[in-house]
Amino acid sequence: MAGRELRSIIIGAGMAGLLAAIRLKARGETDFTIYEKGDKVGGTWRENTYPGLACDTPAHSYTYSFAYNPDWSAYYAPGPEIREYFERVAREHGILEHIRFNTEVESAEWKDGQWHVRTRDGTEDHAEVLVAATGVLHHPLIADIPGLDTFERPWFHSARWDHSIPLDGKRIGVIGSGSTGVQIIAALSTRAGRLVHFQRTAQWIMPCPATKYSAEERRAFRENPALIDEVRSGPDAAARRARFQSAIIDANSPQLLEIQDIVERNLDESVKDPALKAKLTPNYRAACKRMIFSPDYYAAIQRPGVYLENGEIDRIMPKGVQMKDGTFHELDLLVMATGFRVDQFVRPMKVFGEDGLALDDFWAKGPRAYYAVTVPGFPNMVLLNGPTGPVGNFSLIDVAELQWNYFDQLLDRVRSGSATGVSPTLAALERYESERNEAARKTVFASGCKSWYLDANGIPQVWPWSWAHFTQVMEHPCLEDYHINTA
């Protein structure tokens, strides 16, 4: 739909923010600014630099549909390559000149048909469109363990890795057994003099190939992009995706039983010591927590000098970690692989919508967004990979691309002049939340474990339906579910 060019403000220069900018530029709209609190693009791939960092989505699937990368070094790409990929894409599409680095947005207010934005350095800006591409995994969560402030040796969160601290031959403790903790243990198991993995909860681990692409394979990807399509969406990829989503949305499905069998066999065949196997065996069903993919964790945890500690921590002491059973682990370095505050989204930024409505107040009982994209009372604002999206199910790039196309169609009403603002009705959001909550209770995420997917009431805050359904609802907005401001 033809119409006037809108000005847009994009918050965040990670994967989703760059996507929005590239899509705007592709349609000829260049009046936009990206405000980025960091000094580089890349989002979580800039923040996280820990040893062993890699994406647990196949590299060719974690790639923009318009910017294939034939030069991935491995089936699961290491973090530095992913950050370099986003830097290259931003540079090639002329996005860097639109970014204000080291500039954190403090507030955004909808007033007189525009978003008025203020940054922490006092900069003021305004635009018709606000794109919140702030991501989910960027506010580190530090475990509340007594005595941490008394620890005399270095310690840090995994997303704030201090590369000046030596690792080789050191006594290192890692707290946290999610994907990050698993990757760090695997990477440090051949470097540390003594490595202790403090595991609060055992994890089911899906085996995955540690495939490295040869020069010949990378050349073939360059010469024949159809080979990349095969990795992204060929029969094998489609079958794995179908199995996983069927297992997620139906906790009694045969697909979940198949996944359960795979992870149990992986543990049984990889770990022979009965005592260690017992420590590594979860008391919940596979996929209840976010699935962990690792080709080498079980091998790493069995190496000499590597220890799994699944007892309860009593407190941190000046020189190590004291367990409640009396065991003491003296350490030279302590790493908190304890995850992120996943309920923050755009916060601590203050956002005010129509009639001064504060997003903090609207989200008082938890973050909500209509189809994980838009919020009632906040016109022309999109949350890419926002609350209740398919964060644990699919490639977040694929998710963000579909969400942007959906939102861009809403903006056509503003471009044409037939509307000044577009936002979903409260009734539409409440209907969506009611249907989503009912479906979420039937997913494997609600089958009896604690995870960062669950809200205070134990309801998974993620997409509970199939990928096909997500694709369908993202294809075209239902305008009957939207309030169209005409003045």
Side-chain angles (χ1 to χ4, degrees), residues 24-293:
L24 285 171
K25 199 167 183 181
R27 64 174 295 142
E29 297 191 2
T30 58
D31 190 8
F32 62 86
T33 300
I34 304 176
Y35 289 97
E36 168 54 54
K37 67 180 180 180
D39 61 353
K40 299 183 184 70
V41 304
T44 192
W45 304 103
R46 179 197 65 241
E47 299 283 297
N48 288 275
T49 61
Y50 60 80
L53 173 65
C55 187
D56 55 10
T57 297
H60 285 300
S61 295
Y62 194 73
T63 308
Y64 295 124
S65 63
F66 51 83
Y68 283 3
N69 178 25
D71 294 317
W72 292 122
S73 67
Y75 185 78
Y76 292 102
E81 280 189 33
I82 299 173
R83 177 179 51 78
E84 291 166 4
Y85 167 76
F86 287 124
E87 289 177 345
R88 176 174 59 78
V89 170
R91 185 172 59 252
E92 291 178 350
H93 285 80
I95 303 302
L96 295 177
E97 63 240 41
H98 291 271
I99 303 176
R100 289 277 305 273
F101 289 110
N102 299 307
T103 307
E104 183 174 0
V105 173
E106 183 177 60
S107 65
E109 180 182 6
W110 175 260
K111 186 171 57 177
D112 300 327
Q114 289 191 323
W115 283 103
H116 295 257
V117 168
R118 183 180 179 87
T119 68
R120 293 200 179 278
D121 65 8
T123 300
E124 295 185 359
D125 199 353
H126 55 87
E128 290 97 337
V129 179
L130 184 67
V131 180
T134 52
V136 182
L137 307 179
H138 63 110
H139 292 296
L141 175 64
I142 304 297
D144 184 15
I145 303 175
L148 181 59
D149 59 341
T150 70
F151 190 58
E152 295 174 350
R153 278 76 184 268
W155 75 271
F156 45 72
H157 189 275
S158 56
R160 300 292 183 266
W161 198 277
D162 185 347
H163 292 275
S164 70
I165 304 299
L167 303 174
D168 296 318
K170 300 300 182 180
R171 296 167 298 185
I172 304 172
V174 178
I175 297 177
S177 53
S179 292
T180 296
V182 163
Q183 290 179 348
I184 292 172
I185 291 296
L188 298 187
S189 63
T190 57
R191 299 182 60 183
R194 177 182 171 85
L195 182 62
V196 184
H197 194 188
F198 296 93
Q199 171 194 273
R200 184 177 65 176
T201 306
Q203 300 275 6
W204 290 115
I205 295 181
M206 178 69 72
C208 63
T211 305
K212 305 292 184 184
Y213 289 128
S214 67
E216 290 75 16
E217 287 173 312
R218 295 195 296 273
R219 182 169 60 252
F221 284 136
R222 283 194 296 273
E223 294 174 353
N224 184 9
L227 295 175
I228 297 178
D229 289 327
E230 183 75 12
V231 176
R232 287 171 59 90
S233 55
D236 288 346
R240 286 194 299 272
R241 186 182 299 116
R243 180 183 65 190
F244 188 57
Q245 65 179 297
S246 295
I248 285 174
I249 64 180
D250 181 2
N252 297 310
S253 66
Q255 290 85 355
L256 182 59
L257 293 177
E258 182 182 359
I259 290 175
Q260 186 73 49
D261 180 63
I262 292 171
V263 295
E264 287 182 2
R265 280 191 288 109
N266 185 37
L267 175 58
D268 189 58
E269 294 171 2
S270 301
V271 181
K272 298 306 180 184
D273 178 66
L276 180 59
K277 186 181 296 184
K279 289 182 178 181
L280 289 166
T281 302
N283 61 359
Y284 55 87
R285 302 173 71 181
C288 184
K289 290 177 178 286
R290 191 176 193 276
M291 188 68 73
I292 292 180
F293 294 79

